[in-house]
Amino acid sequence: DVKVTQSSRYLVKRTGEKVFLECVQDMDHENMFWYRQDPGLGLRLIYFSYDVKMKEKGDIPEGYSVSREKKERFSLILESASTNQTSMYLCASSLFGEADTQYFGPGTRLTVL
Amino acid sequence: GNSVTQMEGPVTLSEEAFLTINCTYTATGYPSLFWYVQYPGEGLQLLLKATKADDKGSNKGFEATYRKETTSFHLEKGSVQVSDSAVYFCALGWTNTGFQKLVFGTGTRLLVSP
């Protein structure tokens, strides 16, 4: 089975802190994605990556950056956390050419105070 | 642009009732359509998909048919169980500048009582 793991289930940070959310997948998938999930808005794509060191902006990249130094790991970075970034963050991965069949991690619920 | 609209929840049913969750889409070209499910405390997982018009996706007793004429992909199940309680997301898959992406609806929460 594909396994996508995220470093924390719950995280509380202060405004202005730099925040790292880590995601690891164990199935050698080329594509990796970061979404945020908010009530009434569904899932919105922040960034995705189709290869090591490659990244593409999604629909809401402002205030975020990403890093993919190894194929299995995709990090989401909040350079200076703000309260409007309080949300559930979901990581996903897929095979190249099958980006519509994505495997999701359990999510990180981030609260910014 | 491409978008998905699904019915607001929560949908509350008794065990063994018939389920329909409506989903309609707006898209250019010929997207693929999906239903993902999110059980409490877990990430999303693919439930079923259909890649072209008139295709029927099915899994675990759930079904959905890709209807191009009505731009719909409604999810149905003949007899729900308590274990089906979850949030269901309709999604559309499309290719933009060579990359495939998913666009998700807002999710519909299903609550099934014994």
Side-chain angles (χ1 to χ4, degrees):
Chain A
D1 276 355
V2 177
K3 192 150 185 174
V4 179
T5 56
Q6 296 184 229
S7 51
S8 306
R9 294 299 300 267
Y10 300 93
L11 208 53
V12 179
K13 296 291 181 182
R14 299 232 173 250
T15 302
E17 280 193 79
K18 189 168 187 175
V19 182
F20 293 87
L21 303 182
E22 305 285 340
C23 175
V24 177
Q25 50 94 3
D26 67 357
M27 283 302 291
D28 205 34
H29 284 173
E30 290 84 7
N31 298 329
M32 295 189 75
F33 308 81
W34 273 108
Y35 295 87
R36 63 178 283 175
Q37 181 181 8
D38 299 289
L41 297 176
L43 274 72
R44 293 178 291 167
L45 182 64
I46 305 171
Y47 268 96
F48 66 101
S49 168
Y50 54 91
D51 201 353
V52 174
K53 297 193 187 294
M54 305 303 288
K55 61 186 179 186
E56 292 284 337
K57 292 180 180 179
D59 300 317
I60 52 163
E62 297 78 18
Y64 303 94
S65 62
V66 290
S67 171
R68 192 157 180 211
E69 296 297 320
K70 293 186 177 181
K71 191 175 185 181
E72 67 271 18
R73 188 180 297 269
F74 191 35
S75 302
L76 180 70
I77 303 156
L78 287 65
E79 295 288 343
S80 178
S82 63
T83 55
N84 62 12
Q85 293 179 308
T86 292
S87 185
M88 171 71 83
Y89 290 88
L90 294 172
C91 174
S93 72
S94 76
L95 286 169
F96 186 78
E98 293 186 14
D100 48 11
T101 304
Q102 297 181 15
Y103 297 84
F104 283 80
T108 296
R109 184 165 294 283
L110 173 67
T111 302
V112 182
L113 301 176
Chain B
N2 297 327
S3 65
V4 172
T5 302
Q6 58 183 110
M7 61 191 290
E8 285 196 32
V11 173
T12 304
L13 296 172
S14 298
E15 209 165 21
E16 300 184 3
F18 185 86
L19 168 71
T20 300
I21 300 178
N22 290 338
C23 171
T24 57
Y25 68 90
T26 302
T28 53
Y30 303 96
S32 298
L33 298 173
F34 307 84
W35 279 100
Y36 277 79
V37 58
Q38 185 178 32
Y39 297 104
E42 299 182 13
L44 280 70
Q45 54 186 274
L46 179 64
L47 180 60
L48 54 84
K49 70 177 185 181
T51 57
K52 61 183 189 296
D54 299 325
D55 267 3
K56 178 187 282 189
S58 61
N59 187 23
K60 300 181 181 180
F62 290 90
E63 292 183 340
T65 301
Y66 188 161
R67 303 278 188 208
K68 191 162 181 288
E69 63 277 10
T70 54
T71 61
S72 65
F73 193 56
H74 304 321
L75 182 67
E76 296 182 336
K77 187 176 185 184
S79 176
V80 293
Q81 305 300 313
V82 172
S83 57
D84 294 327
S85 297
V87 181
Y88 293 81
F89 291 89
C90 186
L92 177 159
W94 62 296
T95 300
N96 179 36
T97 61
F99 300 111
Q100 291 176 298
K101 285 187 187 179
L102 284 176
V103 174
F104 288 87
T106 54
T108 301
R109 183 176 298 278
L110 170 65
L111 300 169
V112 181
S113 56

